[in-house]
Amino acid sequence: MPVLLIASTNPGKVAEFRGMLVAAGWEVRTPADLGLDLAVAETGATFLDNAVLKARAFAAAGGLPALADDSGLEVAALDGAPGVRSARWVPGSDADRVAALLARLAAVPLAGRGARFRAALALAWPDGRLLTAEGQVAGRIGLQARGASGFGYDPVFLVEDGGLDGRRTMAELDPAHKAALSHRARALAALLRQLPR
Ligand code: ITT
């Protein structure tokens, strides 16, 4: 079975990747499994630039093909913010960032709260080979947080994609449902399609 290092320290991402990759026939390792404690500076201007930086650093340090994800939320009414800064837009926890987002949008009615999640993935091998792919999912920022599944901004992201009509947040979907339609799942499917059989 091929072995892949999940080049992320975000437990929410790691859990999602583990489920999707094991289902696709991969054996996975995490940075903790390898005793790796790498802090990669996310200096890129785009999700893709940052994914490549992380994948290359982890592949070199771990000696395994490494899959990195750089992802985030783009809100149209905020000119695409928090974007590449989604994880560090506001200091504190995911709940702090959700609260800050709701506060920033307090005067914006539901109709003006369109948003999307985007993910860029990079798969780097220690010998320098590289594959990349991107995915996105469309939705809207709800008026309050709902649901306990997922991570990050999931409790305020009303899903309007994959056959859903915006009545449920990403955090109200069960993990298998999120894994069928998320930005990360779509990017991973596009990446795996590029792998030689
Ligand atoms: P790694 O770099 O170690 O993978 P990170 O959390 O710092 O972890 P990013 O820089 O890519 O990763 O930031 C992604 C942020 O975007 C994440 O912390 C969430 O706030 C948000 N995000 C991305 N995907 C999400 C999802 O599926 N659901 C909710 N929020 C998400």
Side-chain angles (χ1 to χ4, degrees):
M1 220 187 282
V3 182
L4 196 65
L5 172 61
I6 303 174
S8 175
T9 54
N10 178 317
K13 284 188 195 179
V14 171
E16 290 182 14
F17 275 130
R18 185 189 291 283
M20 294 189 287
L21 288 165
V22 167
W26 291 81
E27 193 174 313
V28 295
R29 301 279 185 274
T30 63
D33 292 337
L34 304 188
L36 283 180
D37 186 13
L38 270 194
V40 183
E42 298 189 13
T43 53
T46 65
F47 293 117
L48 196 54
D49 290 344
N50 285 331
V52 170
L53 286 173
K54 290 187 269 191
R56 288 210 156 116
F58 275 90
L64 285 175
L67 176 67
D69 162 306
D70 202 69
S71 49
L73 177 70
E74 292 182 339
V75 179
L78 301 178
D79 295 324
V84 289
R85 304 189 63 245
S86 290
R88 53 189 189 278
W89 186 52
V90 167
S93 64
D94 282 350
D96 295 324
R97 283 179 282 278
V98 162
L101 180 63
L102 290 175
R104 288 279 272 277
L105 293 174
V108 183
L110 208 50
R113 297 167 79 120
R116 61 183 178 171
F117 273 129
R118 290 181 57 195
L121 301 191
L123 174 56
W125 280 261
D127 67 8
R129 274 178 298 154
L130 180 76
L131 288 177
T132 63
E134 297 192 63
Q136 55 179 272
V137 58
R140 182 171 305 283
I141 304 304
L143 299 174
Q144 70 272 311
R146 284 199 330 249
S149 195
F151 67 98
Y153 300 92
D154 282 340
V156 283
F157 188 84
L158 297 167
V159 187
E160 296 180 344
D161 203 331
L164 296 182
D165 59 5
R167 268 184 279 194
R168 276 186 286 171
T169 69
M170 198 69 106
E172 292 177 308
L173 304 184
D174 65 49
H177 200 167
K178 182 175 179 186
L181 57 69
S182 78
H183 50 314
R184 183 163 298 105
R186 288 172 170 175
L188 183 62
L191 188 84
L192 295 179
R193 279 197 294 274
Q194 299 174 49
L195 280 178
R197 285 172 190 276

